[in-house]
Amino acid sequence: MTDLNDRTGASPAPTRRRALGLLGATAAALGLAPGSALAHDGDDNVLTEALVLRDPDVPVIGNPDGDISVVEWYDYNCPYCRRVAPELRQVVEDDGKVRLVLKDWPILGEVSKLAARLTLAARYQEKFLPAHEALIGVASRLTEPRVRELIAGAGVDMDRLNKDLEAHAKSIDAVLARNNAQARAFEFRGTPSFIVGKYRVPGVISMKQFEQAIADARKAKMGR
């Protein structure tokens, strides 16, 4: 896992206590850190189920109508995020009923922030996924020219992208602010970090552990 550092800014939000709930079955089964129940939708904070699992401005891949959501906080310059990406995608495809919610959390510097903002801007021409896959699939550290080269190579109209980035700057920055506030409230220490169902799963886990986490979250949802 790539550690969170001082570049992320202010101290964790006061709503952190609401994030640190009961130990979930998933975390217990995997021997991971304590899980965290989401706040009720009526609570006025970033940890509502609606904002964490179903933020309309955050990209979703996999099955959009799936019964379980897996939420990933990631940074394009995080090598562990790159390593886990193909395995997680395979788990989602094999399961067929999982919503994979992709939350940019650019904590590794200015290039990470640029990459996040550009890929989110690509949504306005329905090119988020090609841009995302181009950046998350590289093996070396990104630079600004390389980010733009990869996104252009993914078929994104760069002139329109720059215009969309400017026109929708406030909306894009608001998404990144919500993502950051949620990650800090959940006390994630770095990227990648996950919510599986309604439980916190910080750090890198194996393909088999992802499958088990999803199965446990599904059982918990059904009240078994």
Side-chain angles (χ1 to χ4, degrees), residues 64-82:
D65 300 317
D67 62 339
I68 290 294
S69 295
V70 173
V71 188
E72 179 184 9
W73 281 260
Y74 61 91
D75 185 305
Y76 286 113
N77 256 326
C78 166
Y80 302 101
C81 299
R82 297 171 184 159

Side-chain angles (χ1 to χ4, degrees), residues 42-65:
D43 289 352
D44 186 18
N45 64 66
V46 296
L47 295 176
T48 65
E49 181 170 345
L51 282 179
V52 174
L53 303 184
R54 300 185 181 277
D55 188 327
D57 295 323
V58 170
V60 175
I61 60 177
N63 184 342
D65 300 317

Side-chain angles (χ1 to χ4, degrees), residues 11-171:
S11 60
T15 54
R16 181 183 68 228
R17 292 181 201 158
R18 300 183 189 180
L20 301 177
L22 299 174
L23 176 65
T26 297
L30 298 178
L32 299 173
S36 44
L38 299 178
H40 295 297
D41 284 346
D43 289 352
D44 186 18
N45 64 66
V46 296
L47 295 176
T48 65
E49 181 170 345
L51 282 179
V52 174
L53 303 184
R54 300 185 181 277
D55 188 327
D57 295 323
V58 170
V60 175
I61 60 177
N63 184 342
D65 300 317
D67 62 339
I68 290 294
S69 295
V70 173
V71 188
E72 179 184 9
W73 281 260
Y74 61 91
D75 185 305
Y76 286 113
N77 256 326
C78 166
Y80 302 101
C81 299
R82 297 171 184 159
R83 188 177 76 188
V84 77
E87 291 188 355
L88 180 55
R89 285 291 299 276
Q90 189 63 54
V91 168
V92 170
E93 290 176 11
D94 289 348
D95 183 281
K97 295 184 291 183
V98 172
R99 302 172 64 251
L100 178 56
V101 184
L102 298 174
K103 292 189 184 257
D104 287 275
W105 189 25
I107 59 175
L108 299 177
E110 294 304 314
V111 173
S112 293
K113 293 176 184 176
L114 174 69
R117 296 182 79 238
L118 288 175
T119 51
L120 288 173
R123 290 188 71 211
Y124 294 97
Q125 55 180 291
E126 298 184 355
K127 291 287 187 178
F128 168 82
L129 187 55
H132 171 77
E133 291 185 333
L135 296 186
I136 206 69
V138 298
S140 58
R141 189 167 183 83
L142 295 169
T143 62
E144 180 175 344
R146 183 62 172 150
V147 167
R148 294 186 181 275
E149 177 187 4
L150 288 166
I151 291 176
V156 176
D157 181 332
M158 297 304 287
D159 288 335
R160 178 176 173 183
L161 184 71
N162 290 329
K163 292 176 183 177
D164 284 336
L165 182 61
E166 181 177 356
H168 302 284
K170 289 185 178 180
S171 295

